[in-house]
Amino acid sequence: MAKKITLLGSTGSIGTQSLDVIRAQGYEVFGLSAHSQTDKILQQIEEFHPKYVCMTSEAGAEKLSAALAGRADAPKLLTGPEGLKTLAAMDGPDVVLNSVVGIAGLGASLAAIESGHDLALANKESLVTGGHLVTQAVAKHGVKLLPVDSEHSAIFQCLQGNRREQLNKIILTASGGPFFGKTREELVCMTKSDALRHPNWKMGAKITVDCATLMNKGLEIIEAMRLYDLPLSKVTAVIHRQSVVHSLVEFVDGAVMAQLGVPDMRIPIGLAMTYPNRTHNPAPALDLLSCGPLTFDAIDETAFPVSYTHLTLPTT
Ligand code: NDP
Ligand code: MG
């Protein structure tokens, strides 16, 4: 039977790639949400016929309400941050995928978990800002937390069939972004448009800028600590320019497992939707003979101080 999905943040980069996977799988869409892009969500409503739609900004909600007025097939419209939580909590979907950007996603993550839904989580800010709340709620309600962030999906995959207590260290990979190799002095001259030119991934603006400063890796270290209940000393990061090795887990016996694939978010998105199954994915397969040499470098912590050791973090 086709899975039913509620997709929060459907107009964003992860949202539209999730709809690619949903389209390819023939899944049903139960609910969609956006903040302000009314025209884009209208197109999604035409194609996917959700039962519910939430528009979180006031202006977006007014515009969408006017556009849907009088239509017999219109989805029910929810509005604002409360509407987003209501949608996340609604009975109906098999999985709620949260691809909202920023702390605005936290309430919806908690609402989905507390209502007993498995949560496919792209919104890393849920874990960075409310990690303990999220993991405690997951344990209390016995639901699955399925990481969408490519590094955390890689770790999740490396841990399958292995014992969590035999994990020695998590090694996150970072592409290094557009400013790799630049000194702190050179970074002073960089502009927003320079920061938005990511070499490997096409993503929303916030995460792209965070990748350029390596702030994203700092956030992902916290995300991994929260997801796998590890101290900072057990989570590290290296530069891997090709974004083919998505992250690695070192075990106590010295064995290291990695997950590889083309840099295409539809692979971790697809797994989060279909887990524990794997199904065909619209992303291309990895061709080892054409992906070139795979390289690893240390992070330059002087040029990119937010990336790692200078983070002020709790130690657990
Ligand atoms: P985008 O900016 O492309 O999309 C964000 C989505 O959230 C849009 O649907 C947007 O609506 C909606 N949104 C914006 N503000 C609010 C708000 N205040 N309340 C509710 N919804 C809001 O972001 P990305 O898709 O790039 O990223 C989404 C999340 O996934 C982030 O947490 C990011 O860190 C994470 N992530 C992204 C990756 C990527 O490849 N893009 C990779 C790994 C993780 P509208 O379009 O109408 O403004
Ligand atoms: Mg990532």
Side-chain angles (χ1 to χ4, degrees):
M1 213 173 73
K3 281 204 169 185
K4 286 200 193 86
I5 313 285
T6 286
L7 175 59
L8 310 177
S10 64
T11 47
S13 158
I14 294 288
T16 50
Q17 293 179 84
S18 300
L19 288 172
D20 268 359
V21 175
I22 288 171
R23 188 184 291 113
Q25 294 293 345
Y27 289 163
E28 279 178 44
V29 174
F30 181 82
L32 293 176
S33 91
H35 190 60
S36 54
Q37 293 200 67
T38 322
D39 294 344
K40 201 162 176 180
I41 202 154
L42 270 168
Q43 284 168 12
Q44 295 178 349
I45 292 168
E46 296 296 339
E47 181 178 355
F48 294 97
H49 309 288
K51 286 194 166 50
Y52 294 88
V53 167
C54 178
M55 216 55 202
T56 41
S57 77
E58 221 178 298
E62 274 173 26
K63 204 170 154 200
L64 188 61
S65 170
L68 293 174
R71 280 179 46 168
D73 63 342
K76 292 209 171 56
L77 183 59
L78 302 157
T79 58
E82 284 308 312
L84 190 68
K85 287 195 250 175
T86 304
L87 176 58
M90 273 181 176
D91 277 346
D94 299 294
V95 181
V96 175
L97 197 158
N98 186 352
S99 61
V100 165
V101 65
I103 195 172
L106 174 60
S109 289
L110 290 171
I113 296 165
E114 284 162 4
S115 310
H117 291 307
D118 289 340
L119 178 66
L121 188 61
N123 178 257
K124 64 186 74 184
E125 294 86 353
S126 287
L127 286 166
V128 171
T129 62
H132 290 311
L133 299 176
V134 172
T135 52
Q136 281 163 13
V138 165
K140 181 172 170 194
H141 296 278
V143 299
K144 293 192 194 81
L145 182 55
L146 303 155
V148 170
D149 211 348
S150 57
E151 296 79 359
H152 305 76
S153 173
I155 296 158
F156 179 78
Q157 293 177 62
C158 294
L159 287 173
Q160 301 295 306
N162 286 298
R163 293 201 191 141
R164 158 71 187 72
E165 62 277 13
Q166 292 172 349
L167 174 165
N168 193 39
K169 194 164 68 179
I170 281 177
I171 306 160
L172 299 175
T173 52
S175 72
F179 301 155
F180 174 71
K182 297 211 182 300
T183 62
R184 205 153 171 68
E185 292 68 38
E186 287 168 333
L187 288 174
V188 171
C189 311
M190 297 299 120
T191 63
K192 178 178 161 190
S193 63
D194 293 329
L196 284 170
R197 233 174 273 128
H198 196 284
N200 302 349
W201 300 96
K202 192 164 170 4
M203 309 177 284
K206 178 187 182 295
I207 185 172
T208 307
V209 171
D210 284 348
C211 281
T213 59
L214 292 205
M215 182 68 205
N216 184 52
K217 216 42 60 181
L219 298 177
E220 290 186 349
I221 287 172
I222 303 173
E223 188 182 2
M225 288 168 65
R226 295 296 174 250
L227 267 175
Y228 298 104
D229 192 23
L230 292 169
L232 180 57
S233 58
K234 292 213 175 263
V235 186
T236 182
V238 294
I239 300 288
H240 167 53
R241 293 295 282 159
Q242 298 78 26
S243 300
V244 166
V245 177
H246 295 301
S247 279
L248 312 92
V249 176
E250 180 189 290
F251 293 92
V252 287
D253 61 355
V256 177
M257 294 194 71
Q259 185 257 325
L260 281 70
V262 292
D264 189 317
M265 286 306 296
R266 291 175 298 181
I267 295 174
I269 290 169
L271 182 65
M273 283 188 202
T274 60
Y275 182 82
N277 293 321
R278 287 184 187 269
T279 53
H280 178 74
N281 190 289
L286 175 66
D287 177 3
L288 277 178
L289 298 182
S290 68
C291 70
L294 303 181
T295 60
F296 299 92
D297 294 277
I299 289 178
D300 177 351
E301 289 170 26
T302 308
F304 299 95
V306 291
S307 63
Y308 191 33
T309 50
H310 300 266
L311 281 173
T312 307
L313 280 179
T315 50
T316 58

